[in-house]
Amino acid sequence: MAWFLGLGITGVVLLALSLVLDGVIDGLLDGVGVTEGLLDGLLSLPVIAGFVSMLGFSGAIVLGTTGLGPVGATVIGVPAGVLTGWFAYRLSRALAHDSSGAVPRDADLIGASGSVVTAIPAEGYGEVLVHVAGQPRKFAAKSPVAVGRGTDVWVEQALSQSAVSVRPVER
């Protein structure tokens, strides 16, 4: 039973290392040639850790609760490990390919509201805080008229990735 518990604990330690080192150990297999193509992702550290830990812990449970012995524990532990490894693989693939939202474009800025954080001189640049896709973003801002700090503004045009043209909100 000590061997199976050792495998289970080793799997948990590997999983903790994969979380802490975040892919550093996975990079060691890149030059081997087995991580490309068909096996891409199947030899990742979370998959291996899931297989080893489930093999060990399920084998220990079988040894402790039945009289099947080490061979029976291995026969039950290997499929349980494969199933857990497959689940870890599918979960990591789903998380890696998550495309839940579209990236905001420059056109999405037009009409967005914001406020001036650094005063904008006439025909000069200042700074505004604009809420885009629910997140505050700071932009360099240009306006045809002088706009004081704290003034509410609307974005009229995206000049670049980091600059916008604004006009004060009239109330």
Side-chain angles (χ1 to χ4, degrees):
M1 182 182 296
W3 282 98
F4 286 107
L5 285 176
L7 283 173
I9 292 169
T10 300
V12 171
V13 168
L14 283 175
L15 184 59
L17 283 174
S18 73
L19 293 173
V20 170
L21 298 178
D22 195 27
V24 172
I25 295 176
D26 287 338
L28 296 175
L29 295 175
D30 284 346
V32 178
V34 296
T35 58
E36 290 85 20
L38 178 65
L39 296 178
D40 188 24
L42 287 175
L43 291 179
S44 67
L45 198 53
V47 171
I48 293 169
F51 172 78
V52 170
S53 63
M54 186 55 77
L55 167 65
F57 289 135
S58 63
I61 290 170
V62 169
L63 276 179
T65 59
T66 67
L68 294 178
V71 173
T74 304
V75 167
I76 292 174
V78 167
V82 168
L83 184 64
T84 303
W86 177 81
F87 179 71
Y89 169 74
R90 295 297 296 166
L91 182 63
S92 65
R93 298 291 284 180
L95 292 173
H97 293 98
D98 181 26
S99 58
S100 60
V103 176
R105 300 179 314 239
D106 289 344
D108 297 331
L109 288 172
I110 298 172
S113 64
S115 62
V116 177
V117 292
T118 303
I120 306 170
E123 296 299 326
Y125 280 94
E127 292 178 319
V128 294
L129 188 63
V130 178
H131 292 278
V132 181
Q135 298 295 318
R137 289 186 54 197
K138 191 155 77 165
F139 291 95
K142 187 175 186 177
S143 176
V145 296
V147 183
R149 183 176 186 268
T151 305
D152 292 331
V153 293
W154 294 103
V155 176
E156 288 185 320
Q157 180 182 8
L159 303 173
S160 70
Q161 292 289 329
S162 60
V164 292
S165 174
V166 297
R167 67 175 172 83
V169 174
E170 297 175 14
R171 296 181 194 241

